[in-house]
């Protein structure tokens, strides 16, 4: 039985044509498009692929890419806050960029940096990692629990626009990408988990602020 990994809908889905041979399902309730679990890579396969990425502070293109998430977030942050880079990958970069500007930021990655040092954070960045989540609802619950009330979650992931465009979308060709969000998916997430959405002026970046009484 198909169950949406964000909203737990079991009834209303569309089968979607993707750019590769994988099977894609669109949840008609929260608009998440996701691949079947049989297309989830093993930890070793994921590790190998992530280790091949050319990421790090020495790559100006990558730094510029991450700055897309950092710049719109900075007005919400202050230097006495504790931050976390959730899904930092094998070469922590975002935390290094923040530290250079005087902000505190820990690293977490389920494969490469599995230990989380603090229980609660004032802000959490999740750049280019939501699309890798096998079970986004589970990860969102974890992130929500780690954020203090009024804390910020800054997500960077490319959102899908139309089903037609999805069928040839480069972003879905990466086998480590398994969950694809629509703007409306983030509206649903905000309502379900108790966030408000701030304008980032960039469709790839979503700034969510935890409300005092989230009802996840
Ligand atoms: Zn759903």
């Amino acid at each position: 039985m198909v169950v949406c990994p964000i909203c737990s809908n079991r009834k209303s889905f569309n089968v979607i044509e993707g750019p590769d041979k994988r099977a894609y399902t669109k949840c008609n309730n929260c608009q998440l498009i996701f691949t079947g679990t049989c297309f989830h890579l093993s930890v070793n396969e994921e590790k190998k692929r992530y280790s091949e990425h050319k990421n790090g502070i020495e790559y100006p293109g990558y730094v510029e890419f991450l700055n897309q998430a950092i710049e719109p977030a900075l007005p919400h942050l202050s230097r006495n806050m504790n931050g976390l880079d959730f899904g930092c990958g094998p070469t922590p970069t975002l935390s290094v960029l923040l530290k250079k500007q005087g902000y505190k930021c820990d690293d977490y990655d389920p494969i490469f940096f599995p230990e989380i040092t603090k229980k609660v954070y004032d802000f959490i960045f999740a750049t280019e990692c939501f699309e890798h989540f096998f079970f986004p609802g589970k990860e969102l619950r974890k992130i929500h629990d780690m954020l203090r009330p009024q804390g910020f979650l800054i997500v960077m992931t490319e959102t899908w626009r139309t089903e037609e465009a999805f069928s040839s979308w480069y972003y879905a060709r990466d086998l480590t990408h398994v969950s694809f969000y629509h703007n409306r998916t983030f509206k649903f997430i905000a309502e379900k988990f108790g966030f408000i959405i701030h304008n980032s002026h960039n469709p790839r970046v979503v700034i969510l602020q935890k409300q005092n009484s989230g009802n996840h």
Side-chain angles (χ1 to χ4, degrees):
M1 182 196 271
V2 182
V3 180
C4 172
I6 286 187
C7 73
S8 306
N9 161 39
R10 292 162 191 259
K11 287 185 193 147
S12 182
F13 299 102
N14 280 4
V15 173
I16 299 286
E17 188 81 22
D20 57 16
K21 293 262 162 34
R22 294 187 294 173
Y24 295 91
T25 303
K26 188 192 98 182
C27 170
N28 291 328
N29 187 39
C30 73
Q31 317 301 320
L32 179 78
I33 296 179
F34 55 99
T35 62
T37 50
C38 62
F39 298 102
H40 293 171
L41 298 181
S42 69
V43 173
N44 282 341
E45 284 169 318
E46 283 194 310
K47 195 170 181 178
K48 187 172 173 286
R49 281 171 185 269
Y50 296 145
S51 302
E52 286 164 357
H53 286 181
K54 282 199 165 50
N55 294 347
I57 194 130
E58 67 274 33
Y59 295 99
Y62 185 56
V63 167
E64 200 180 312
F65 182 66
L66 290 179
N67 273 331
Q68 286 185 85
I70 294 175
E71 276 166 18
L74 284 185
H76 301 290
L77 310 184
S78 63
R79 291 184 172 82
N80 60 356
M81 289 178 170
N82 290 311
L84 180 70
D85 181 9
F86 189 99
C88 62
T91 320
T93 308
L94 187 130
S95 62
V96 179
L97 295 173
L98 282 174
K99 281 175 197 160
K100 276 178 132 185
Q101 299 192 52
Y103 295 90
K104 291 181 270 187
C105 189
D106 292 342
D107 295 305
Y108 166 73
D109 189 280
I111 298 175
F112 301 99
F113 296 88
E115 290 203 2
I116 300 180
T117 49
K118 292 183 186 62
K119 279 210 171 93
V120 179
Y121 286 93
D122 301 298
F123 63 87
I124 297 177
F125 278 86
T127 58
E128 300 301 303
C129 88
F130 266 53
E131 62 278 9
H132 300 295
F133 289 160
F134 292 163
F135 303 104
K138 224 171 100 183
E139 304 292 345
L140 271 157
R141 189 154 296 126
K142 191 165 151 187
I143 290 172
H144 187 271
D145 286 348
M146 280 195 293
L147 263 186
R148 70 155 165 84
Q150 304 298 319
F152 290 90
L153 165 63
I154 303 98
V155 179
M156 181 157 78
T157 187
E158 203 161 320
T159 47
W160 70 271
R161 308 285 164 88
T162 65
E163 289 183 25
E164 194 195 1
F166 188 86
S167 64
S168 58
W169 197 26
Y170 84 99
Y171 205 63
R173 283 206 177 93
D174 183 328
L175 293 181
T176 63
H177 292 184
V178 293
S179 293
F180 307 93
Y181 308 74
H182 193 273
N183 286 341
R184 283 186 283 157
T185 315
F186 281 104
K187 288 202 178 105
F188 180 91
I189 288 168
E191 251 171 58
K192 179 177 161 81
F193 289 87
F195 290 107
I196 56 164
I197 299 180
H198 292 271
N199 195 349
S200 72
H201 304 286
N202 180 344
R204 200 185 184 108
V205 178
V206 185
I207 300 177
L208 301 133
Q209 185 176 21
K210 180 172 170 171
Q211 297 306 280
N212 287 329
S213 54
N215 59 336
H216 66 284

